[in-house]
Amino acid sequence: MNHILTTAAGRAALLTAAALLLAGAAPARAATEPARSADWLLLTVTRDGAPTGIRPGTPAGDRPGAARGALLRCDPPSGHARADRACAELDAAHGRIADIPARETLCPMIHAPVTAQARGQWRGQPVDYTRTFPNACVMAARTGALFAWDAED
């Protein structure tokens, strides 16, 4: 009879241990999966050169060296006027800004360089992107809605 009680107690102990292991494994697995709410990018665009024809009264954001920025969050999409589209484009490119498909557009050949910068994290991976484009039109064609946070951009 002792043998039967010992076997039953052993089974109960094994079942309890297995249940504890499974319960402990679930939170560990969830902790390693990146949370969508942790996706964020600090986006800035800096005008590098002096665009031709600057006159007194030009808005500060259009002057050389002026930086404009936004904090893009994707759960829920917020941070600029086109956050929904920017988050969808980032999702399709797996967070790699350089992999956002270039849009076919005609851009003027005006030398007014802009530098686009993104820092943050996407799906738990760090993002560090910096690229200088010949002008804002080329930047928009190459980066989609990501750096177009103003409604008029």
Side-chain angles (χ1 to χ4, degrees):
M1 190 125 148
N2 271 345
H3 181 65
I4 294 173
L5 288 176
T6 306
T7 305
R11 283 185 189 153
L14 283 175
L15 287 174
T16 302
L20 287 173
L21 284 173
L22 289 175
R29 193 176 329 120
T32 60
E33 294 175 5
R36 277 190 66 92
S37 61
D39 294 342
W40 62 273
L41 292 178
L42 179 59
L43 308 169
T44 59
V45 174
T46 306
R47 298 204 183 275
D48 296 339
T52 55
I54 286 191
R55 297 183 193 107
T58 301
D62 292 337
R63 293 189 180 159
R68 297 168 63 199
L71 178 64
L72 176 66
R73 294 183 180 268
C74 289
D75 190 26
S78 62
H80 60 72
R82 297 179 181 159
D84 286 329
R85 195 167 122 207
C87 291
E89 289 172 352
L90 272 172
D91 227 7
H94 306 287
R96 292 185 298 268
I97 298 169
D99 291 350
I100 293 175
R103 190 176 70 219
E104 285 192 36
T105 187
L106 296 175
C107 290
M109 293 179 58
I110 296 173
H111 184 71
V114 292
T115 298
Q117 207 171 29
R119 305 242 185 289
Q121 69 178 21
W122 187 262
R123 304 290 186 255
Q125 298 300 311
V127 173
D128 187 6
Y129 173 87
T130 302
R131 182 158 177 208
T132 301
F133 298 92
N135 57 51
C137 178
V138 174
M139 177 187 68
R142 299 289 187 267
T143 62
L146 194 58
F147 294 99
W149 49 81
D150 289 338
E152 69 269 3
D153 281 346

